[in-house]
Structures are given as structure tokens and as C-alpha cells.
Amino acid sequence: MTDPNDLTARELAVRVRAGTLKAAEVTRATLDRVARLNPGINAIVQDTGEEAMRDAEALDARIAAGDEGGALAGVPVTVKVIADQKGYATTNGTTLAKDLIATEDSPFLRNMRAQGAIVVGRTNCPAFSYRWFSSNKLHGTTSNPHNPDLTPGGSSGGAGAATAAGLGHIAHGTDIAGSIRYPAYACGVQGLRPTPGRVPAFNHSGPDRAIGPQLMAVAGPLARRVDDLRLGLEGMAGYAPDDPWSAPVPLTGPAVVPRVALMKRPGGIATDPRILADLERAAEVLRKAGWQVEEPTQVPDIREAVELQIDLWLSDAHSDKLAAARLEGDPGAIALLSFYEERARGIDLAKFSELFSRRARLIRAWRAFLVDYPLVLMPVSAALPFAQDEDLNGPEAIARLWEAQVPQIGIPLLGLPALSVCSGVEAGVPSGVQLVAPPWREDLCLEAGEVLERSFGLHPPG
């Protein structure tokens, strides 16, 4: 049998729908790969193997009986433990939620299953999904498949590591401050942060989230190939009444003037020389593909977006967050929340209201800029992937890391889609670039991302 791991998700689904490849064979091969490779990286932390085989066999039976099978027929996928999957604990990486068993699927997962996707495992994240590192007391530490000395990223670090190791074609992740884009970057794969409202997500196992996360947190795909991201987005997206932000917006939009704004140092960050070289390579590739690439001198502010994002996400109900982190006893969550404790004390009701007015002005400025430049090319991070648990080295380390992540943190507040594209893995150290587009124009990111992917070259799992 052809190794299903060598096929794109789209090729695999075509063969399963045609009956030339059985979903059960694909699933068994993937689970065997998980058994072989996952112990070394701890990316998948909840076993769904028995259910996966039952679902695959049922899919094969439906296809044999004449069912079309769906766009994701037989495609192995993983789901982050932050999301509801019926019958499994929605832990969000905490012992506090180890017994929080979901009674139904999150709507994005309902959509994926309806298209024939097979869930082969549930992936790790840091406690409460706060960090760019993926370790916790309940599930342990996830390692980067390329280099165990580096973080696999966070908070969807298990998703990034699983994808890089070929433990599933498409991984579900979530992103409120880079939690899809950074693991993709750190693990040498591709990751798409969709527009808020594009992918429906709601956990029936718990209460609604605070207003900041409701506005900024999204679910989206990670994959080794950009077209797999596209297929994953198609499978995840769609209107769902249980997500109040869900919107039935078409996945493609009208033609735009092919102009790209190159921002090498957004917000004045000190971008690493290798990343600067990646950006120059990417700009030249896009020029040859017909895009007009410019470096505008007047660009909208991104640092204020970072400041507002911190206040709307971490400062809101900060004392409750810190109390939960201390009850959990997680050093990473405690360190991060303690770092912003004094800042959070200054957020009263009047200040909180002011944040939304400032947010509106920033969004207006960025949307106007994106009319002239429908695509922005910028770093994912100012730095190459961090050392494992580097944020535990004190307040100075946290400040340095958050400074490097300015290009990631600001985008969620602005409500924009963004794509992390791998530019290569050198001596076990991945790198990449980020593409940002107007709201609902993930298609522009994916189109340009495929152009870059072809030039950078695919990097199969080790």
C-alpha cells in the first residue's frame, strides 16, 4: 500500500472516496506511526485510536454503499485538548479540568467529521494555553521533532509537533496571540489563523469565555502543506448557531490589486538576520509571481495593538486567572500572570471601556491600509524558535520573548487572518515568514503562501 503519509490530504481523500484506499488502512497506518514516534515527542496526549478505527471502518462501509464520503474522507486529523470532543476531557492542559468530559463535539469538529475526517489523537498545550511552550503537570512536556532543545511552540505545540512528525495530515489549533502561527513556525510546518467567525468553536462543557478571548481567539488548521491548510479550513468552516460569532462568509473573494507591503521590523522589532533574509527571499519570489512588493514608510501601529491585546486578554479578571494558575501550581502560567499583575491592577471599568475605542481606531487604520496593500509580508517572530521553557528564566526573559512576538500578538486584536509559512529548517532550527490579509481573505494568504511554499520547498517529517 502507498504510505498515506506521503500523500497530500486532498489526494488521500480522493483515493478513499474512490475506494482505491481504505480509510481503515490509512487510520491503522497513522496510528502505527503515532505508536512509533509519539513517545519521543509527546505531542498526542489523549488516545483516540479505538474510536478512530471504528469511525474509519464505518466510513468505508458508507462509501461501499454509495455514500460520497466527504471532502476529508479518511483524512487523519488531531484535535487540541482545549476543544470539546465527545467522550474526552477538555483539559486545556490542567489537572483542574482532567475530569471535564465533553458530551458533544465543538462545532468545527462536527463539520470536519461530517466531511469524513478521522480523529487520530488529541494534542498537548500549556496549562490554560497561556505560553509559547507546551508543558503541563497533567500531560507532560511536548518536544520539538526537529530539535528537543527548542520549544515546539504554544499554545498549540502538540498540534505543531504532531504535524511535523506526520501524526495526522491536518491538526486543529487555536490562536489568541500566535498559538497556531508560532507552533507552525517553531516546528517547520504551515499554520493558518482564520478571521474571527470563520471557524465555529464553542465548548458546551464550560461557560462562555470573557469578551477579550471571544473577540480574538480563533480555531484553525496546521499542516505540512498549504493546500492541506486550505482543505482543513474548508472542512472546519461554516455557520454554526452555537457560536455567536459564526458568520456564513464565502471562502474566496474578488480579485485585488496584487500589492504587498513588506514590513521587516514591524513595531521596530530587532528582527534576526536569518529571518530578514527569509523575508527578502519571499519578497523576490512574490515579485516574480506578479506581486508588486513595496516597503511603505507610513504603516499602521502594531505596538498599540499588542498593548490592547494584553489588557483585553490577560488583564481582564486577572486575579481570577492568577488564583487558578496558583491552584494548578503551573510555574509557566504563574510566571506570566505575575509579570502582568501590576499592570492589571490599573484596569478599571473606565479603562476597560477605553480599550474598545482605541481598538476600533486601530482596526479602522489597518483596514484602510489593507485596501492599498491587500497582503502584508512580515516576520512571524523577531527571533528564531526559543529554547525549551525559556520563559521560566525570570521577568527579563518574559519581557524579551514578548518583545520578539510583537508580529503575532497584535494581529488577533485587529481581527485579521494570517498565515505562517515555513522557509526552511537549517541545522535543526526552523524559520518562516508571515502573511497577513484583510478580514475574510484567507484565500489571499493561501494563494501567496503556495507560491512561497513552492520556492522554499517542502520539508517532510523526520
Side-chain angles (χ1 to χ4, degrees):
M1 183 185 79
T2 300
D3 185 347
N5 197 57
D6 294 336
L7 302 173
T8 70
R10 201 176 296 274
E11 290 168 341
L12 189 154
V14 166
R15 296 191 188 193
V16 170
R17 288 195 300 269
T20 59
L21 190 60
K22 298 297 184 183
E25 295 173 331
V26 172
T27 303
R28 183 72 269 159
T30 305
L31 293 175
D32 288 347
R33 188 176 177 88
V34 170
R36 188 170 71 253
L37 299 180
N38 191 61
I41 58 174
N42 194 41
I44 291 175
V45 294
Q46 289 180 343
D47 180 11
T48 65
E50 290 186 11
E51 181 182 75
M53 287 305 303
R54 290 196 302 269
D55 289 348
E57 289 164 0
L59 176 62
D60 286 333
R62 292 198 304 273
I63 291 173
D67 188 279
E68 292 184 358
L72 291 170
V75 174
V77 304
T78 58
V79 175
K80 186 179 176 181
V81 293
I82 197 174
D84 276 2
Q85 180 177 343
K86 184 178 179 179
Y88 297 89
T90 306
T91 69
N92 199 12
T94 69
T95 62
L96 299 175
K98 65 182 176 60
D99 298 319
L100 187 64
I101 306 299
T103 58
E104 54 185 295
D105 290 342
S106 184
F108 79 86
L109 183 52
R110 291 200 307 262
N111 291 348
M112 296 185 84
R113 287 192 199 266
Q115 294 298 322
I118 306 296
V119 181
V120 296
R122 288 171 56 80
T123 55
N124 203 17
C125 64
F128 308 101
S129 291
Y130 283 148
R131 303 166 63 214
W132 288 296
F133 308 83
S134 291
S135 61
N136 58 69
K137 291 167 60 178
L138 179 62
H139 301 304
T141 298
T142 298
S143 297
N144 190 315
H146 293 287
N147 186 338
D149 294 331
L150 300 179
T151 178
S155 61
S156 307
T163 302
L167 311 184
H169 280 61
I170 297 169
H172 156 262
T174 61
D175 188 314
I176 193 173
S179 290
I180 288 172
R181 292 163 289 152
Y182 191 64
Y185 170 79
C187 290
V189 297
Q190 329 291 13
L192 176 67
R193 173 194 162 82
T195 307
R198 172 70 80 190
V199 174
F202 173 66
N203 285 338
H204 292 265
S205 64
D208 280 298
R209 304 180 74 178
I211 185 62
Q214 284 194 42
L215 290 171
M216 297 182 292
V218 301
L222 297 88
R224 281 173 287 151
R225 304 169 181 89
V226 173
D227 188 57
D228 288 2
L229 290 182
R230 182 182 288 108
L231 188 62
L233 181 65
E234 292 168 0
M236 290 179 174
Y239 175 75
D242 41 0
D243 180 351
W245 300 97
S246 177
V249 180
L251 286 165
T252 58
V256 297
V257 177
R259 296 179 74 196
V260 178
L262 173 59
M263 298 184 185
K264 297 178 184 176
R265 301 174 180 85
I269 59 172
T271 307
D272 184 274
R274 179 177 162 192
I275 300 167
L276 290 173
D278 289 341
L279 291 167
E280 290 285 5
R281 287 167 57 206
E284 185 58 28
V285 169
L286 291 174
R287 287 189 186 100
K288 290 180 179 178
W291 291 81
Q292 180 182 342
V293 182
E294 303 174 12
E295 291 189 64
T297 56
Q298 298 295 318
V299 300
D301 190 11
I302 195 168
R303 282 199 174 268
E304 186 179 10
V306 172
E307 298 303 307
L308 297 181
Q309 206 268 10
I310 291 169
D311 287 337
L312 285 175
W313 173 35
L314 293 179
S315 297
D316 186 21
H318 180 276
S319 60
D320 294 339
K321 291 182 174 71
L322 184 55
R326 286 173 173 159
L327 183 61
E328 177 67 21
D330 184 82
I334 293 169
L336 174 62
L337 292 167
S338 297
F339 183 81
Y340 286 112
E341 186 173 14
E342 183 176 349
R343 178 192 182 112
R345 291 196 190 102
I347 307 294
D348 57 14
L349 183 59
K351 178 71 172 178
F352 197 68
S353 178
E354 177 195 329
L355 297 176
F356 289 95
S357 296
R358 292 168 60 193
R359 175 178 178 268
R361 289 195 296 272
L362 275 177
I363 289 175
R364 192 175 299 114
W366 272 88
R367 288 189 175 189
F369 182 80
L370 290 166
V371 170
D372 293 330
Y373 295 95
L375 202 64
V376 175
L377 172 63
M378 65 167 68
V380 180
S381 173
L384 296 172
F386 305 140
Q388 183 73 286
D389 291 332
E390 190 174 346
D391 62 336
L392 301 182
N393 293 333
E396 295 81 7
I398 293 176
R400 183 178 68 253
L401 302 187
W402 279 66
E403 168 67 15
Q405 305 294 61
V406 162
Q408 287 172 63
I409 304 168
I411 298 303
L413 181 109
L414 302 169
L416 302 174
L419 172 67
S420 175
V421 182
C422 176
S423 58
V425 181
E426 298 177 7
V429 180
S431 184
V433 299
Q434 180 173 208
L435 297 167
V436 181
W440 309 111
R441 295 311 305 268
E442 295 88 356
D443 58 323
L444 297 178
C445 289
L446 294 168
E447 176 189 343
E450 282 188 306
V451 172
L452 296 182
E453 178 183 52
R454 285 193 294 270
S455 176
F456 291 152
L458 284 175
H459 303 281

